[in-house]
Amino acid sequence: MPNRRHVLVAGAAAAAVVAFDPVGLGWVTQAQADTGATGLAVPDLDGELVTDEAALAEAAEDYGQIAHRRPRAVLRPASVEDVRRVVRFADRHRIAVAVRGQGHSTFGQAQAPAGVVIDSRTLSRVHGITPRGAVVDAGVTWFDLFSAATAAGLTPPVATDYLGLSVGGTLSVGGIGGASSRHGLQVDNVLELLVVTGDGRLLTCSPTQNRDLFDAVLGGLGQYGIIVRATLRLIPAKTTARVYRLTYADLPSLTAAQRIALADGRFDYLEGQAVSTPTGWSYLLEGAVYHSGAAPDDAKLARGLPTPAATEVTSLPYLDWINRIYALVEQLKALRFANPWLNLFLPDKATDAYIADLLSRTTPADTGGGPILFYPVPRKRLTRPLVSVPDSPTVFVLSILRTVAPPDETVVRKLLTDNRAAYERARAIGGTQYPIGSIPTTRADWPRHYGAEYGRARKAKAQYDPRGILAPEQGIFS
Ligand SMILES: Cc1cc2nc3c(=O)[nH]c(=O)nc-3n(C[C@H](O)[C@H](O)[C@H](O)COP(=O)(O)OP(=O)(O)OC[C@H]3O[C@@H](n4cnc5c(N)ncnc54)[C@H](O)[C@@H]3O)c2cc1C
């Protein structure tokens, strides 16, 4: 009698893809091949290419729960070479390919309809942590990297608010957080990348080697190559976060406080948000100072800021602070509500009027209780050419993290329309979108999005993904 393991292994082998049928545009599994189906043999893999229902359904889903486009196969690579083999095969036969890191896009950005999704969770080794930098596979989560680095007394300079995102996923968009006021985005803190290009070359790139590829891939929305490994800057970690929450009754007081704090750099972390109250909105500045040993002088940190209506000061271990919303997000994710997020960058001068207008149009029903975040970052720290931000010395990040609960298709459609309208109003004042959210776009939007950098994007596409197989759902080039 075969035991359970034998049955499972035999089942997995039968479901494994062995060939591609170029006529029916489908994949042939071992079980189908055993009954006579034929096709073009796929290369031998260290990992597996699968077509089972569970894998396809998962790859057709993301945090947004709005777009659901099924691939025809999912690659679970066991090596960098697997990524290269499948990309070469896909390039030869013009099959769409997208990488899915942790699937935290909100509008199908990591989906590949009728193509292959590469699940990078199987490439998740931390190869090394030294003061010179961290070397990690693209599928490593920021939580794993922060845990490994802080154990060695080091830290990446910038954390996203939630750490369950993959390194490859945030390096493909930007990676912004409260420490961006000091260190720029996560993409501004990369030393070197190993990339499989859309035509299947494996290239190392950095500021001094294959610079054009480095410039294209960071914030490149998965269009030019697949990041398989990254070397990231680390800095010494402090042990403790002293956290300041200052509540203001009005928007101008909050943004004035944020601008003062940004200018003198008093906080290591600087964010802010509008909070819905029974009588309207209140405004919260969130600042943190990282320290080892003696706590900072609280009175000095509040000096010169508009007087808040309320102040709360707490201390917590650095990693607990960096990882503070992980459990909450995991709970929300399990509920699978739709999340039609709006994420924008605004020029400083127009920010207050834009946010005041947006809040006057926004009810708690439009956010589903999700937060409205906004905070300033200095433009000079944002160095990556394809992360498109306004031409302004200070740029405000604005995110409405909408949730639709209970699920309601009509509400989702209305909020997508609202997002588009808000995007157009932002563009009219020199704003851009941070393309992690759910803004319906057409191909015509992208030349305007990239502005003077559009030529760089097109050139890189022609050079590194000439047949346009990578991340087609972004709709940038096709
Ligand atoms: C709860 C939550 C909190 C968030 N907080 C923040 C935040 O604080 N700051 C912030 O900046 N963003 C934040 N985001 C957005 C997040 O950074 C992006 O959606 C990011 O792309 C998600 O990473 P992922 O691993 O889930 O990528 P996926 O959604 O799986 O992929 C995103 C895009 O990147 C491409 N991609 C993924 N991996 C690779 C790779 N290895 N090589 C090339 N392309 C690749 C995909 O094809 C796709 O186009 C948040 C999202 C969620 C859901």
Side-chain angles (χ1 to χ4, degrees):
M1 281 286 284
N3 65 22
R4 184 176 140 74
R5 183 175 150 69
H6 280 127
V7 172
L8 286 178
V9 169
V17 169
V18 293
F20 175 67
D21 168 9
V23 180
L25 294 179
W27 299 87
V28 179
T29 63
Q30 183 62 60
Q32 291 163 329
D34 290 345
T35 59
T38 55
L40 303 163
V42 299
D44 284 343
L45 298 170
D46 303 319
E48 56 179 2
L49 189 65
V50 295
T51 56
D52 60 277
E53 175 56 33
L56 300 187
E58 185 184 39
E61 194 169 278
D62 60 28
Y63 191 83
Q65 297 289 342
I66 300 167
H68 294 280
R69 303 212 174 80
R70 281 164 72 93
R72 288 227 170 92
V74 172
L75 171 67
R76 299 193 183 115
S79 63
V80 165
E81 201 46 42
D82 274 356
V83 175
R84 187 149 97 126
R85 288 175 186 130
V86 167
V87 168
R88 278 195 167 167
F89 187 84
D91 180 52
R92 203 171 315 130
H93 302 294
R94 289 180 168 58
I95 300 166
V97 175
V99 186
R100 186 176 193 272
Q102 290 289 321
H104 282 81
S105 299
T106 62
F107 210 34
Q109 286 92 332
Q111 295 171 14
V116 179
V117 164
I118 298 178
D119 180 345
S120 73
R121 289 175 301 185
T122 52
L123 287 184
S124 58
R125 262 189 71 195
V126 175
H127 294 270
I129 301 280
T130 69
R132 283 199 315 281
V135 181
V136 296
D137 286 342
V140 164
T141 65
W142 286 94
F143 175 72
D144 289 340
L145 174 53
F146 270 87
S147 302
T150 51
L154 298 163
T155 180
V158 183
T160 44
D161 291 340
Y162 164 62
L163 295 189
L165 309 166
S166 74
V167 166
T170 70
L171 295 189
S172 300
V173 293
I176 196 158
S180 294
S181 53
R182 183 153 289 175
H183 298 287
L185 307 184
Q186 288 174 334
V187 287
D188 298 306
N189 292 280
V190 179
L191 303 175
E192 190 178 279
L193 296 173
L194 187 62
V195 172
V196 173
T197 60
D199 54 3
R201 287 173 282 164
L202 181 66
L203 296 175
T204 299
C205 61
S206 72
T208 55
Q209 192 180 355
N210 293 316
R211 171 80 193 249
D212 60 334
L213 182 62
F214 190 71
D215 284 345
V217 166
L218 290 171
L221 308 179
Q223 294 301 303
Y224 316 98
I226 292 170
I227 301 167
V228 286
R229 199 166 290 171
T231 307
L232 305 169
R233 188 164 87 93
L234 296 176
I235 59 175
K238 303 282 171 47
T239 58
T240 310
R242 185 94 172 141
V243 182
Y244 301 83
R245 290 198 176 88
L246 313 181
T247 300
Y248 291 100
D250 61 277
L251 176 66
S253 297
L254 169 59
T255 52
Q258 286 176 316
R259 289 187 182 100
I260 293 167
L262 182 74
D264 63 23
R266 69 182 70 190
F267 295 123
D268 293 305
Y269 167 106
L270 176 63
E271 289 201 5
Q273 53 182 288
V275 180
S276 170
T277 70
T279 52
W281 299 100
S282 84
Y283 301 88
L284 181 71
L285 181 149
E286 207 172 33
V289 174
Y290 303 145
H291 65 97
S292 300
D297 179 341
D298 295 341
K300 195 168 155 206
L301 277 154
R303 204 167 295 151
L305 300 180
T307 307
T311 301
E312 185 194 317
V313 185
T314 49
S315 281
L316 63 169
Y318 175 71
L319 189 56
D320 290 359
W321 159 252
I322 294 287
N323 196 34
R324 65 200 173 281
I325 66 164
Y326 194 94
L328 173 67
V329 172
E330 294 305 307
Q331 277 172 21
L332 290 174
K333 209 160 61 176
L335 298 172
R336 299 168 89 187
F337 292 141
N339 294 285
W341 285 9
L342 175 68
N343 305 84
L344 301 168
F345 291 115
L346 303 170
D348 186 17
K349 277 206 175 80
T351 291
D352 286 40
Y354 184 91
I355 294 178
D357 174 61
L358 187 83
L359 293 179
S360 74
R361 300 165 187 261
T362 305
T363 66
D366 296 327
T367 67
I372 302 180
L373 306 175
F374 47 93
Y375 51 93
V377 290
R379 175 73 183 80
K380 65 173 188 243
R381 300 258 176 256
L382 311 182
T383 62
R384 300 287 93 224
L386 293 190
V387 177
S388 185
V389 292
D391 184 14
S392 158
T394 297
V395 167
F396 269 78
V397 180
L398 169 67
S399 296
I400 307 190
L401 308 183
R402 308 179 193 273
T403 293
V404 180
D408 186 329
E409 264 297 311
T410 314
V411 176
V412 172
R413 271 199 301 277
K414 182 230 176 235
L415 294 177
L416 291 175
T417 307
D418 288 356
N419 283 354
R420 176 71 205 188
Y423 173 49
E424 286 177 14
R425 290 196 305 276
R427 276 202 316 202
I429 53 154
T432 57
Q433 68 150 319
Y434 181 33
I436 62 168
S438 307
I439 300 174
T441 50
T442 66
R443 192 175 162 188
D445 290 311
W446 293 97
R448 187 159 169 191
H449 173 79
Y450 286 117
E453 297 295 341
Y454 185 57
R456 180 197 300 273
R458 278 183 47 145
K459 192 167 163 219
K461 190 70 176 174
Q463 191 167 349
Y464 293 113
D465 181 25
R467 275 164 290 282
I469 63 162
L470 293 180
E473 278 305 276
Q474 301 274 10
I476 300 170
F477 299 105
S478 61

